[in-house]
């Protein structure tokens, strides 16, 4: 239970950090806004033309007697939209991080320097195109894993009682885990930690991960909230990555520390 609270505190610390660094926060908002527009356009298009898509994909129902064809296609349209909405929640972070790789890389490095006792931050020393390739490749792997879980949990949602009680709780825990993986990947990738090792590292501290990622997953359900929380989430995930790696962390402003000024 201590790790659960610690994970939530890292989430709050990240938001406080960007609150003290307004310029970094402003730059960090741009990728989320771009992703939000893309996802919103996709969902709106699906809402407008989803029924036509389902009708095109189910020609075998054309000869069904009324009202069965309409009910069947209406159900499939609702399922399609609900699945798209669930996948958008699961993949929003991955897409935002991919679009905003240079922004969040810079933000994460500044967090590392700010809290590092010696004022330094790990550097990948890889060219930008290589970092983008690794990020895209690893994000695809995580998205595929998340998609499998999404389909499984969506199917289990039709189980009486459990589908309306236990399954949603598991869904938020799973979503929180994958959100945390994507966010900590910014800092851990700079440290040369491969995706399999990142997953193993996170599984070793599941309650810490759930304390950080599950409240974030819940917050992301509110429209536009994800955009404004993303910069702080990256900052908090960087702080948590240092904990997972056993790195020493100091509170305070890095510039002030270099000048020998104590920050209470």
């Amino acid at each position: 239970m201590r790790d659960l609270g610690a994970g939530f505190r890292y989430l709050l610390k990240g938001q406080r950090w960007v609150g003290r660094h307004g310029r970094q926060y402003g730059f960090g908002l741009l990728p989320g806004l771009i992703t939000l527009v893309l996802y919103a356009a996709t969902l709106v298009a699906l809402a407008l033309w989803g029924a036509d898509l389902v009708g095109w994909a189910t020609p075998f129902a054309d000869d069904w007697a009324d009202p069965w064809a309409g009910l069947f296609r209406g159900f499939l349209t609702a399922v399609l939209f609900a699945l798209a909405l669930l996948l958008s929640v699961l993949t929003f972070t991955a897409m935002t991080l991919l679009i905003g790789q240079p922004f969040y890389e810079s933000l994460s490095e500044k967090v590392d320097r700010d809290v590092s006792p010696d004022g330094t931050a790990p550097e990948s020393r890889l060219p930008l195109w290589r970092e983008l390739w690794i990020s895209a490749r690893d994000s695809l792997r995580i998205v595929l894993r998340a998609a499998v879980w999404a389909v499984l949990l969506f199917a289990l949602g039709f189980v009486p009682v459990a589908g309306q009680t236990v399954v949603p709780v598991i869904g938020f825990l799973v979503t929180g885990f994958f959100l945390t993986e994507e966010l900590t990947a910014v800092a851990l990738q700079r440290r040369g930690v491969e995706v399999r090792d990142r997953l193993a590292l996170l599984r070793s501290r599941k309650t810490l991960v759930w304390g950080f990622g599950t409240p974030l997953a819940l917050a992301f359900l509110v429209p536009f909230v994800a955009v404004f929380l993303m910069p702080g989430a990256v900052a908090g995930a960087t702080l948590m990555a240092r904990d997972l790696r056993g790195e020493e962390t100091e509170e305070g402003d890095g510039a002030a520390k270099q000048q020998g000024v104590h920050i209470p």
Side-chain angles (χ1 to χ4, degrees):
M1 292 300 293
R2 181 179 299 177
D3 261 359
L4 198 66
F8 185 67
R9 284 194 294 273
Y10 280 127
L11 182 59
L12 296 180
K13 286 179 181 180
Q15 302 304 323
R16 286 200 297 268
W17 192 93
V18 295
R20 297 196 308 267
H21 300 78
R23 186 176 181 182
Q24 292 299 315
Y25 179 66
F27 280 125
L29 290 176
L30 294 177
L33 289 171
I34 294 171
T35 307
L36 180 64
V37 170
L38 293 175
Y39 273 50
T42 301
L43 290 173
V44 168
L46 195 59
L48 292 175
W49 296 293
D52 295 335
L53 178 63
V54 170
W56 171 81
T58 57
F60 55 85
D62 289 342
D63 299 326
W64 289 10
D66 290 334
W68 303 114
L71 291 173
F72 175 69
R73 285 171 170 166
F75 172 74
L76 288 183
T77 301
V79 168
L80 178 64
F81 187 83
L83 187 58
L85 189 61
L86 179 59
L87 286 175
S88 69
V89 173
L90 289 172
T91 62
F92 182 88
T93 303
M95 184 60 67
T96 304
L97 289 173
L98 181 60
I99 293 173
Q101 176 73 18
F103 297 90
Y104 296 136
E105 189 77 21
S106 174
L107 189 153
S108 179
E109 284 187 19
K110 284 180 170 59
V111 172
D112 266 325
R113 290 194 181 96
D114 187 51
V115 301
S116 175
D118 58 4
T120 63
E123 298 180 5
S124 66
R125 302 188 184 279
L126 295 175
L128 179 60
W129 71 267
R130 179 66 176 169
E131 290 183 356
L132 290 174
W133 163 249
I134 294 174
S135 179
R137 180 198 64 191
D138 291 350
S139 292
L140 180 60
R141 292 176 179 175
I142 296 302
V143 166
L144 290 176
R145 290 171 184 259
V148 171
W149 273 99
V151 173
L152 176 61
L153 291 171
F154 184 80
L156 290 175
F158 292 99
V159 177
V161 183
Q164 293 74 49
T165 54
V166 178
V167 173
V169 174
I170 296 175
F172 280 116
L173 292 176
V174 170
T175 303
F177 181 90
F178 284 118
L179 279 176
T180 305
E181 196 288 327
E182 289 290 345
L183 290 164
T184 54
V186 178
L188 293 176
Q189 185 176 307
R190 279 192 292 109
R191 290 162 167 79
V193 182
E194 295 292 336
V195 62
R196 290 184 179 178
D197 295 328
R198 292 202 300 265
L199 289 170
L201 193 61
L202 293 174
R203 290 191 190 107
S204 69
R205 302 278 297 279
K206 287 191 183 73
T207 51
L208 180 71
V209 171
W210 289 333
F212 181 90
T214 304
L216 195 60
L218 289 167
F220 277 15
L221 291 177
V222 182
F224 305 111
V225 166
V227 174
F228 296 102
L229 291 184
M230 273 297 291
V234 172
T238 301
L239 296 173
M240 192 170 71
R242 296 180 65 89
D243 183 357
L244 290 167
R245 295 272 292 173
E247 298 174 9
E248 187 178 353
T249 297
E250 290 186 359
E251 299 289 341
D253 186 281
K257 285 190 298 183
Q258 291 175 7
Q259 298 171 12
V261 179
H262 176 67
I263 305 295

